[in-house]
Amino acid sequence: MEAWSIILLLITIFLSAIIAFLLFHSKKSPLPPGPPSIPILGSLLWLRHFPSLFNIEILLRKFRSQLGPIITLRFGFHTCIFIADCALAHKALVELGASFSSRPPPSPYSRFRNSRILNISSSPYGNQWRLLRRNLTSEILHPVKIHLFAPARRWVLGLLLNDLRTRSEQSPKRAVVAMESFQLAMFALLVFMCFGEKLGEKAIREIETAEREPLLYASKYMRVFAFVPKLLSRFMFQGRLRAMARLRQRQVDLFLPLISARRENQKQAREQRFVYSYVDSLLDISLAEEGGRKLTDDEIIPLCSEFLVAGTDTTAAALQWIMAEIAARTSVQAKLLEELKGINGEEIKEEDLQKLPYLKAVVLEGLRRHPPAHFVLPHSVIKDVEFGGYLIPKNASVNFTVADMGWDEKLWEEPMAFKPERFMAGGDGEGVDITGNREIKMMPFGVGRRICPGLGLAMLHLEYFVANLVREFEWSAVDGEEIDFSEKFEFIVVMLKPLRARINPRRKVY
């Protein structure tokens, strides 16, 4: 009898606990709806291939009409929430900006690296993020500071035009694959802004390769760690971890001499006229919460890497998309050229850009129609938040569908067409706020507290280089070929077939 009493008591306690658990959780809002998932694999059964931005985007479009604009997908042990509505995005990122301003926990494979290695993009919302972002925006990306790099932009523009001219002259049809030239030019400019040095082409290409290879390797081979338990991952895929470590070490080997030289020459340089680079600003930072210590080289290197990647690949990709549209549309190019003819001189200077509304419309339409990233970097909430009748749990990845928002037929007439005129007077994009503070109609740079701090720099670079590329050359499709606007997902969205255009130097009539 005593044994049965104990068993009955245990059963009662167990059932009471289950009832209490169900009652407690029934009061909480549910997660946003999503397709059925299975343990470990999560929502993978709905994907034909291993998860990528491309097939996730297709899946979201498939389920949006059934499940609504907030959808939950599960990948391994991670919950990912996708928001695909401009009004809801504004509510989350602007109205509730403080709550949605953090980042998800670091990617699984990053636990094998030094935990102190963070950058502005991945740092959680807090004092460290504020310090690093404030340094970048005030010391390098402030409009006054950006203007100081105008001579470097003229230098890079000269390199780019000469490179394209040489490639065109050496080609039988004057056909040029422009993306490599765009990437090298943007990278040379960002290397100068980062390290304050005009490096040679060989050194620039070495740094560019050292930056690109880890990103491509991670996108192909490191996602598997999201599906492997933490305990097992210490023993599995060691070859991949070693390969990534070797790629990271190559960055260290290239960056350390540049950082060390800047540190050694900083005092002497300040007594003379010199360019205040991003590395100089990082060397000046003091961490008040850690006794005022300076950043270590291991902390400076990933910040430099972030600066170079964020400012190069997205801008080069956007530039390629815009020049492809210009080459494919003679009417757009003719209208843009007519506007540029109103500027005296052989070069369109930075101070001339404010006089060129159609140029700005072409750039905005390029960013709307071809955003380099179809999703902004994932956000997360600092604590559980009820949003739109659903629970957004802490540490979940919250994603925003940038491309689909810019292609929303409720907001844009013929959204898949390339029509710069929509950003002129009377168009559906007139006066659009790309910061999203008032409303969101497009968000190529993100919105809210985590908006890309390089927005102003990117717009300046796109307008400046597009204007001068059109002023210098006539762009058209190669005879017998069509420009292919198909997309390919790398770590950004690029043209499946890089732009191959026929470029002819224009007669100097200005």
Side-chain angles (χ1 to χ4, degrees):
M1 286 295 295
E2 184 174 319
W4 280 107
S5 298
I6 294 174
I7 293 172
L8 183 61
L9 178 61
L10 291 175
I11 293 174
T12 302
I13 293 173
F14 179 70
L15 292 175
S16 299
I18 293 177
I19 293 171
F21 177 82
L22 293 174
L23 289 175
F24 175 75
H25 281 269
S26 66
K27 297 178 182 179
K28 300 182 70 173
S29 300
L31 287 171
S37 62
I38 59 178
I40 300 180
L41 292 180
S43 304
L44 282 181
L45 71 165
W46 295 98
L47 300 174
R48 295 178 61 187
H49 307 287
F50 200 80
S52 70
L53 291 177
F54 180 73
N55 52 42
I56 288 174
E57 197 169 27
I58 294 174
L59 180 66
L60 292 171
R61 290 170 185 158
K62 174 182 177 181
F63 282 107
R64 182 177 177 182
S65 60
Q66 305 170 21
L67 303 176
I70 312 180
I71 297 171
T72 299
L73 297 179
R74 298 181 186 274
F75 300 103
F77 301 94
H78 303 282
T79 299
C80 300
I81 295 170
F82 294 84
I83 297 178
D85 177 83
C86 289
L88 289 174
H90 187 272
K91 181 177 181 181
L93 296 174
V94 179
E95 298 174 32
L96 302 175
S99 296
F100 281 82
S101 292
S102 198
R103 293 294 192 211
S107 57
Y109 80 87
S110 68
R111 61 179 171 262
F112 298 99
R113 300 166 59 198
N114 186 335
S115 62
R116 295 196 59 84
I117 298 180
L118 291 174
N119 54 34
I120 300 172
S121 300
S122 63
S123 289
Y125 191 60
N127 291 335
Q128 177 177 266
W129 172 78
R130 292 188 188 92
L131 173 65
L132 296 175
R133 184 180 172 101
R134 188 187 310 117
N135 172 72
L136 175 61
T137 56
S138 64
E139 298 300 328
I140 302 299
L141 299 181
H142 188 279
V144 174
K145 302 296 178 67
I146 288 176
H147 179 70
L148 297 177
F149 290 100
R153 277 184 284 278
R154 288 195 295 273
W155 165 64
V156 167
L157 175 63
L159 296 178
L160 175 59
L161 296 180
N162 287 335
D163 183 49
L164 291 173
R165 190 178 297 110
T166 300
R167 289 171 180 264
S168 174
E169 292 171 352
Q170 293 175 349
S171 171
K173 295 185 177 181
R174 288 194 174 274
V176 171
V177 178
M179 185 58 171
E180 184 177 347
S181 301
F182 293 164
Q183 285 178 321
L184 183 62
M186 295 301 105
F187 205 80
L189 180 52
L190 269 292
V191 165
F192 180 80
M193 294 181 69
C194 185
F195 298 108
E197 300 288 344
K198 288 184 179 180
L199 301 181
E201 181 177 339
K202 180 181 178 182
I204 292 172
R205 289 190 183 279
E206 286 180 345
I207 297 174
E208 182 183 20
T209 300
E211 285 294 290
R212 183 175 303 278
E213 287 184 345
L215 291 172
L216 292 174
Y217 189 87
S219 67
K220 291 181 180 179
Y221 300 111
M222 304 306 287
R223 288 176 295 166
V224 67
F225 286 96
F227 304 91
V228 178
K230 184 175 181 179
L231 182 61
L232 292 179
S233 62
R234 294 184 178 276
F235 307 100
M236 301 174 65
F237 305 108
Q238 292 299 303
R240 299 188 184 193
L241 292 172
R242 287 192 293 270
M244 178 59 75
R246 286 193 297 270
L247 293 173
R248 294 294 186 192
Q249 186 59 45
R250 180 60 179 153
Q251 288 179 331
V252 172
D253 294 341
L254 290 170
F255 284 11
L256 269 183
L258 296 169
I259 295 170
S260 298
R262 207 65 185 177
R263 181 184 286 114
E264 292 171 4
N265 296 332
Q266 195 175 49
K267 182 178 180 180
Q268 178 183 353
R270 286 189 174 181
E271 296 170 355
Q272 307 168 1
R273 292 187 62 185
F274 86 119
V275 174
Y276 187 70
S277 69
Y278 186 43
V279 167
D280 294 313
S281 75
L282 296 176
L283 293 172
D284 286 342
I285 287 179
S286 297
L287 302 178
E289 295 182 349
E290 300 184 35
R293 74 168 181 87
K294 300 293 187 178
L295 293 175
T296 66
D297 289 338
D298 283 343
E299 292 165 332
I300 291 175
I301 287 171
L303 290 165
C304 292
S305 177
E306 173 189 49
F307 182 83
L308 296 174
V309 170
T312 298
D313 290 295
T314 51
T315 305
L319 183 59
Q320 178 180 222
W321 283 113
I322 293 168
M323 296 311 300
E325 293 284 5
I326 289 173
R329 289 165 171 75
T330 56
S331 60
V332 170
Q333 187 168 185
K335 189 171 182 178
L336 180 54
L337 182 62
E338 189 63 29
E339 183 178 70
L340 296 175
K341 286 180 179 179
I343 304 298
N344 295 323
E346 294 191 6
E347 176 197 353
I348 305 297
K349 298 181 176 62
E350 293 177 21
E351 54 266 30
D352 298 324
L353 299 177
Q354 297 306 315
K355 310 171 190 175
L356 303 169
Y358 191 69
L359 168 67
K360 189 175 294 290
V362 169
V363 170
L364 286 172
E365 180 69 341
L367 290 171
R368 183 201 67 81
R369 181 60 187 85
H370 305 288
H374 282 202
F375 299 89
V376 294
L377 291 175
H379 289 240
S380 74
V381 291
I382 57 177
K383 62 180 180 180
D384 289 0
V385 171
E386 185 173 326
F387 181 79
Y390 300 112
L391 172 68
I392 309 295
K394 181 181 179 181
N395 291 335
S397 173
V398 184
N399 305 270
F400 298 85
T401 57
V402 171
D404 284 355
M405 291 181 192
W407 301 341
D408 189 343
E409 60 185 12
K410 297 177 184 177
L411 302 175
W412 303 96
E413 181 182 347
E414 297 183 78
M416 303 311 288
F418 186 84
K419 297 169 58 177
E421 290 75 15
R422 71 173 80 245
F423 290 98
M424 305 296 281
D428 51 13
E430 180 184 7
V432 69
D433 175 19
I434 59 172
T435 68
N437 288 332
R438 297 194 307 270
E439 64 171 346
I440 294 176
K441 294 185 70 173
M442 57 186 285
M443 49 181 291
F445 299 97
V447 166
R449 302 186 185 202
R450 287 282 187 167
I451 191 171
C452 174
L455 185 157
L457 182 67
M459 291 298 294
L460 170 61
H461 285 177
L462 288 173
E463 292 175 16
Y464 178 70
F465 286 103
V466 168
N468 282 288
L469 287 169
V470 173
R471 184 71 172 269
E472 188 71 20
F473 301 111
E474 177 188 0
W475 294 73
S476 61
V478 178
D479 294 342
E481 301 179 15
E482 291 187 3
I483 296 176
D484 186 353
F485 288 93
S486 300
E487 299 172 339
K488 179 175 71 171
F489 285 77
E490 291 180 349
F491 42 91
I492 56 172
V493 181
V494 298
M495 298 182 73
L496 177 62
K497 296 180 180 179
L499 171 62
R500 177 176 150 87
R502 185 172 186 265
I503 63 172
N504 277 317
R506 296 189 188 277
R507 295 178 60 187
K508 307 298 184 182
V509 296
Y510 37 82

